[in-house]
PDB file of all heavy atoms in Angstrom:
ATOM      1  N   LEU A 200     -13.000  -2.934 -21.109  1.00  0.00           N
ATOM      2  CA  LEU A 200     -12.946  -4.391 -20.787  1.00  0.00           C
ATOM      3  C   LEU A 200     -13.984  -5.112 -21.678  1.00  0.00           C
ATOM      4  O   LEU A 200     -15.004  -5.581 -21.222  1.00  0.00           O
ATOM      5  CB  LEU A 200     -13.251  -4.583 -19.299  1.00  0.00           C
ATOM      6  CG  LEU A 200     -12.186  -4.012 -18.346  1.00  0.00           C
ATOM      7  CD1 LEU A 200     -12.687  -4.100 -16.902  1.00  0.00           C
ATOM      8  CD2 LEU A 200     -10.884  -4.750 -18.529  1.00  0.00           C
ATOM      9  N   GLU A 201     -13.629  -5.155 -22.949  1.00  0.00           N
ATOM     10  CA  GLU A 201     -14.487  -5.769 -23.957  1.00  0.00           C
ATOM     11  C   GLU A 201     -13.595  -6.524 -24.922  1.00  0.00           C
ATOM     12  O   GLU A 201     -12.597  -5.974 -25.437  1.00  0.00           O
ATOM     13  CB  GLU A 201     -15.284  -4.684 -24.693  1.00  0.00           C
ATOM     14  CG  GLU A 201     -16.037  -5.147 -25.925  1.00  0.00           C
ATOM     15  CD  GLU A 201     -17.075  -6.198 -25.646  1.00  0.00           C
ATOM     16  OE1 GLU A 201     -17.927  -5.959 -24.799  1.00  0.00           O
ATOM     17  OE2 GLU A 201     -16.982  -7.295 -26.257  1.00  0.00           O
ATOM     18  N   THR A 202     -13.893  -7.790 -25.170  1.00  0.00           N
ATOM     19  CA  THR A 202     -13.041  -8.618 -26.012  1.00  0.00           C
ATOM     20  C   THR A 202     -13.348  -8.541 -27.495  1.00  0.00           C
ATOM     21  O   THR A 202     -12.469  -8.835 -28.308  1.00  0.00           O
ATOM     22  CB  THR A 202     -13.097 -10.098 -25.559  1.00  0.00           C
ATOM     23  OG1 THR A 202     -14.490 -10.539 -25.648  1.00  0.00           O
ATOM     24  CG2 THR A 202     -12.596 -10.239 -24.134  1.00  0.00           C
ATOM     25  N   ASP A 203     -14.586  -8.203 -27.833  1.00  0.00           N
ATOM     26  CA  ASP A 203     -14.941  -8.111 -29.244  1.00  0.00           C
ATOM     27  C   ASP A 203     -14.304  -6.854 -29.848  1.00  0.00           C
ATOM     28  O   ASP A 203     -14.618  -5.720 -29.406  1.00  0.00           O
ATOM     29  CB  ASP A 203     -16.473  -8.043 -29.428  1.00  0.00           C
ATOM     30  CG  ASP A 203     -16.848  -7.890 -30.866  1.00  0.00           C
ATOM     31  OD1 ASP A 203     -16.820  -8.915 -31.613  1.00  0.00           O
ATOM     32  OD2 ASP A 203     -17.178  -6.747 -31.280  1.00  0.00           O
ATOM     33  N   PRO A 204     -13.427  -6.959 -30.862  1.00  0.00           N
ATOM     34  CA  PRO A 204     -12.716  -5.808 -31.376  1.00  0.00           C
ATOM     35  C   PRO A 204     -13.674  -4.683 -31.880  1.00  0.00           C
ATOM     36  O   PRO A 204     -13.430  -3.511 -31.628  1.00  0.00           O
ATOM     37  CB  PRO A 204     -11.868  -6.388 -32.528  1.00  0.00           C
ATOM     38  CG  PRO A 204     -11.685  -7.801 -32.188  1.00  0.00           C
ATOM     39  CD  PRO A 204     -12.961  -8.231 -31.503  1.00  0.00           C
ATOM     40  N   GLY A 205     -14.691  -5.080 -32.618  1.00  0.00           N
ATOM     41  CA  GLY A 205     -15.602  -4.041 -33.155  1.00  0.00           C
ATOM     42  C   GLY A 205     -16.320  -3.270 -32.078  1.00  0.00           C
ATOM     43  O   GLY A 205     -16.403  -2.055 -32.110  1.00  0.00           O
ATOM     44  N   ARG A 206     -16.790  -4.020 -31.065  1.00  0.00           N
ATOM     45  CA  ARG A 206     -17.556  -3.345 -30.019  1.00  0.00           C
ATOM     46  C   ARG A 206     -16.567  -2.539 -29.152  1.00  0.00           C
ATOM     47  O   ARG A 206     -16.897  -1.392 -28.717  1.00  0.00           O
ATOM     48  CB  ARG A 206     -18.278  -4.381 -29.121  1.00  0.00           C
ATOM     49  CG  ARG A 206     -18.975  -3.790 -27.945  1.00  0.00           C
ATOM     50  CD  ARG A 206     -19.979  -4.727 -27.338  1.00  0.00           C
ATOM     51  NE  ARG A 206     -20.442  -4.225 -26.031  1.00  0.00           N
ATOM     52  CZ  ARG A 206     -21.297  -3.203 -25.875  1.00  0.00           C
ATOM     53  NH1 ARG A 206     -21.721  -2.524 -26.941  1.00  0.00           N
ATOM     54  NH2 ARG A 206     -21.668  -2.803 -24.680  1.00  0.00           N
ATOM     55  N   ALA A 207     -15.410  -3.096 -28.825  1.00  0.00           N
ATOM     56  CA  ALA A 207     -14.455  -2.385 -28.035  1.00  0.00           C
ATOM     57  C   ALA A 207     -14.041  -1.049 -28.681  1.00  0.00           C
ATOM     58  O   ALA A 207     -14.023   0.018 -28.036  1.00  0.00           O
ATOM     59  CB  ALA A 207     -13.196  -3.213 -27.768  1.00  0.00           C
ATOM     60  N   ARG A 208     -13.735  -1.064 -29.972  1.00  0.00           N
ATOM     61  CA  ARG A 208     -13.327   0.137 -30.662  1.00  0.00           C
ATOM     62  C   ARG A 208     -14.475   1.112 -30.809  1.00  0.00           C
ATOM     63  O   ARG A 208     -14.286   2.343 -30.795  1.00  0.00           O
ATOM     64  CB  ARG A 208     -12.720  -0.221 -32.016  1.00  0.00           C
ATOM     65  CG  ARG A 208     -11.337  -0.928 -31.881  1.00  0.00           C
ATOM     66  CD  ARG A 208     -10.689  -1.004 -33.243  1.00  0.00           C
ATOM     67  NE  ARG A 208      -9.342  -1.616 -33.153  1.00  0.00           N
ATOM     68  CZ  ARG A 208      -9.001  -2.765 -33.698  1.00  0.00           C
ATOM     69  NH1 ARG A 208      -9.905  -3.505 -34.387  1.00  0.00           N
ATOM     70  NH2 ARG A 208      -7.785  -3.226 -33.582  1.00  0.00           N
ATOM     71  N   ALA A 209     -15.724   0.606 -30.941  1.00  0.00           N
ATOM     72  CA  ALA A 209     -16.876   1.494 -31.042  1.00  0.00           C
ATOM     73  C   ALA A 209     -17.055   2.255 -29.733  1.00  0.00           C
ATOM     74  O   ALA A 209     -17.358   3.458 -29.743  1.00  0.00           O
ATOM     75  CB  ALA A 209     -18.129   0.696 -31.381  1.00  0.00           C
ATOM     76  N   ILE A 210     -16.933   1.563 -28.616  1.00  0.00           N
ATOM     77  CA  ILE A 210     -17.063   2.203 -27.297  1.00  0.00           C
ATOM     78  C   ILE A 210     -15.936   3.262 -27.144  1.00  0.00           C
ATOM     79  O   ILE A 210     -16.175   4.386 -26.702  1.00  0.00           O
ATOM     80  CB  ILE A 210     -16.987   1.199 -26.174  1.00  0.00           C
ATOM     81  CG1 ILE A 210     -18.254   0.316 -26.171  1.00  0.00           C
ATOM     82  CG2 ILE A 210     -16.808   1.880 -24.823  1.00  0.00           C
ATOM     83  CD1 ILE A 210     -18.153  -0.878 -25.211  1.00  0.00           C
ATOM     84  N   ALA A 211     -14.744   2.892 -27.576  1.00  0.00           N
ATOM     85  CA  ALA A 211     -13.595   3.782 -27.481  1.00  0.00           C
ATOM     86  C   ALA A 211     -13.815   5.028 -28.320  1.00  0.00           C
ATOM     87  O   ALA A 211     -13.565   6.163 -27.876  1.00  0.00           O
ATOM     88  CB  ALA A 211     -12.364   3.046 -27.899  1.00  0.00           C
ATOM     89  N   ARG A 212     -14.274   4.859 -29.543  1.00  0.00           N
ATOM     90  CA  ARG A 212     -14.453   6.019 -30.447  1.00  0.00           C
ATOM     91  C   ARG A 212     -15.512   6.975 -29.966  1.00  0.00           C
ATOM     92  O   ARG A 212     -15.395   8.184 -30.096  1.00  0.00           O
ATOM     93  CB  ARG A 212     -14.806   5.511 -31.866  1.00  0.00           C
ATOM     94  CG  ARG A 212     -13.648   4.847 -32.610  1.00  0.00           C
ATOM     95  CD  ARG A 212     -13.948   4.570 -34.052  1.00  0.00           C
ATOM     96  NE  ARG A 212     -12.744   4.070 -34.712  1.00  0.00           N
ATOM     97  CZ  ARG A 212     -12.529   2.780 -34.945  1.00  0.00           C
ATOM     98  NH1 ARG A 212     -13.429   1.852 -34.593  1.00  0.00           N
ATOM     99  NH2 ARG A 212     -11.408   2.390 -35.512  1.00  0.00           N
ATOM    100  N   ASP A 213     -16.569   6.404 -29.391  1.00  0.00           N
ATOM    101  CA  ASP A 213     -17.635   7.236 -28.880  1.00  0.00           C
ATOM    102  C   ASP A 213     -17.142   8.204 -27.818  1.00  0.00           C
ATOM    103  O   ASP A 213     -17.572   9.366 -27.747  1.00  0.00           O
ATOM    104  CB  ASP A 213     -18.781   6.351 -28.341  1.00  0.00           C
ATOM    105  CG  ASP A 213     -19.971   7.170 -27.903  1.00  0.00           C
ATOM    106  OD1 ASP A 213     -20.567   7.870 -28.765  1.00  0.00           O
ATOM    107  OD2 ASP A 213     -20.351   7.134 -26.748  1.00  0.00           O
ATOM    108  N   TYR A 214     -16.213   7.734 -27.017  1.00  0.00           N
ATOM    109  CA  TYR A 214     -15.644   8.551 -25.941  1.00  0.00           C
ATOM    110  C   TYR A 214     -14.524   9.462 -26.472  1.00  0.00           C
ATOM    111  O   TYR A 214     -14.349  10.574 -25.998  1.00  0.00           O
ATOM    112  CB  TYR A 214     -15.093   7.634 -24.863  1.00  0.00           C
ATOM    113  CG  TYR A 214     -14.867   8.253 -23.513  1.00  0.00           C
ATOM    114  CD1 TYR A 214     -15.902   8.387 -22.608  1.00  0.00           C
ATOM    115  CD2 TYR A 214     -13.582   8.723 -23.167  1.00  0.00           C
ATOM    116  CE1 TYR A 214     -15.676   9.003 -21.356  1.00  0.00           C
ATOM    117  CE2 TYR A 214     -13.373   9.318 -21.929  1.00  0.00           C
ATOM    118  CZ  TYR A 214     -14.419   9.465 -21.036  1.00  0.00           C
ATOM    119  OH  TYR A 214     -14.225  10.046 -19.802  1.00  0.00           O
ATOM    120  N   LEU A 215     -13.771   8.971 -27.448  1.00  0.00           N
ATOM    121  CA  LEU A 215     -12.595   9.704 -27.932  1.00  0.00           C
ATOM    122  C   LEU A 215     -12.934  10.857 -28.835  1.00  0.00           C
ATOM    123  O   LEU A 215     -12.195  11.834 -28.922  1.00  0.00           O
ATOM    124  CB  LEU A 215     -11.713   8.694 -28.705  1.00  0.00           C
ATOM    125  CG  LEU A 215     -10.330   9.170 -29.228  1.00  0.00           C
ATOM    126  CD1 LEU A 215      -9.469   9.664 -28.067  1.00  0.00           C
ATOM    127  CD2 LEU A 215      -9.678   8.053 -30.018  1.00  0.00           C
ATOM    128  N   ALA A 216     -14.092  10.833 -29.495  1.00  0.00           N
ATOM    129  CA  ALA A 216     -14.414  11.803 -30.488  1.00  0.00           C
ATOM    130  C   ALA A 216     -14.320  13.231 -29.989  1.00  0.00           C
ATOM    131  O   ALA A 216     -13.834  14.144 -30.661  1.00  0.00           O
ATOM    132  CB  ALA A 216     -15.818  11.539 -31.065  1.00  0.00           C
ATOM    133  N   LEU A 217     -14.814  13.464 -28.755  1.00  0.00           N
ATOM    134  CA  LEU A 217     -14.766  14.817 -28.157  1.00  0.00           C
ATOM    135  C   LEU A 217     -13.348  15.349 -28.103  1.00  0.00           C
ATOM    136  O   LEU A 217     -13.090  16.519 -28.414  1.00  0.00           O
ATOM    137  CB  LEU A 217     -15.416  14.777 -26.781  1.00  0.00           C
ATOM    138  CG  LEU A 217     -15.250  16.032 -25.927  1.00  0.00           C
ATOM    139  CD1 LEU A 217     -15.998  17.195 -26.532  1.00  0.00           C
ATOM    140  CD2 LEU A 217     -15.696  15.793 -24.492  1.00  0.00           C
ATOM    141  N   TYR A 218     -12.422  14.504 -27.694  1.00  0.00           N
ATOM    142  CA  TYR A 218     -11.039  14.945 -27.481  1.00  0.00           C
ATOM    143  C   TYR A 218     -10.348  15.246 -28.825  1.00  0.00           C
ATOM    144  O   TYR A 218      -9.407  16.046 -28.884  1.00  0.00           O
ATOM    145  CB  TYR A 218     -10.243  13.897 -26.741  1.00  0.00           C
ATOM    146  CG  TYR A 218     -10.783  13.641 -25.326  1.00  0.00           C
ATOM    147  CD1 TYR A 218     -11.470  12.470 -25.027  1.00  0.00           C
ATOM    148  CD2 TYR A 218     -10.664  14.617 -24.345  1.00  0.00           C
ATOM    149  CE1 TYR A 218     -11.984  12.266 -23.763  1.00  0.00           C
ATOM    150  CE2 TYR A 218     -11.169  14.412 -23.073  1.00  0.00           C
ATOM    151  CZ  TYR A 218     -11.837  13.219 -22.781  1.00  0.00           C
ATOM    152  OH  TYR A 218     -12.335  13.017 -21.532  1.00  0.00           O
ATOM    153  N   LEU A 219     -10.791  14.603 -29.884  1.00  0.00           N
ATOM    154  CA  LEU A 219     -10.206  14.844 -31.189  1.00  0.00           C
ATOM    155  C   LEU A 219     -10.610  16.178 -31.815  1.00  0.00           C
ATOM    156  O   LEU A 219     -10.132  16.518 -32.885  1.00  0.00           O
ATOM    157  CB  LEU A 219     -10.539  13.688 -32.156  1.00  0.00           C
ATOM    158  CG  LEU A 219      -9.963  12.324 -31.709  1.00  0.00           C
ATOM    159  CD1 LEU A 219     -10.348  11.235 -32.712  1.00  0.00           C
ATOM    160  CD2 LEU A 219      -8.446  12.402 -31.532  1.00  0.00           C
TER     161      LEU A 219
END
Side-chain angles (χ1 to χ4, degrees):
L200 294 172
E201 170 61 56
T202 58
D203 178 78
R206 176 164 169 73
R208 290 190 177 116
I210 292 171
R212 288 189 175 99
D213 185 59
Y214 198 84
L215 184 60
L217 169 67
Y218 298 109
L219 296 181

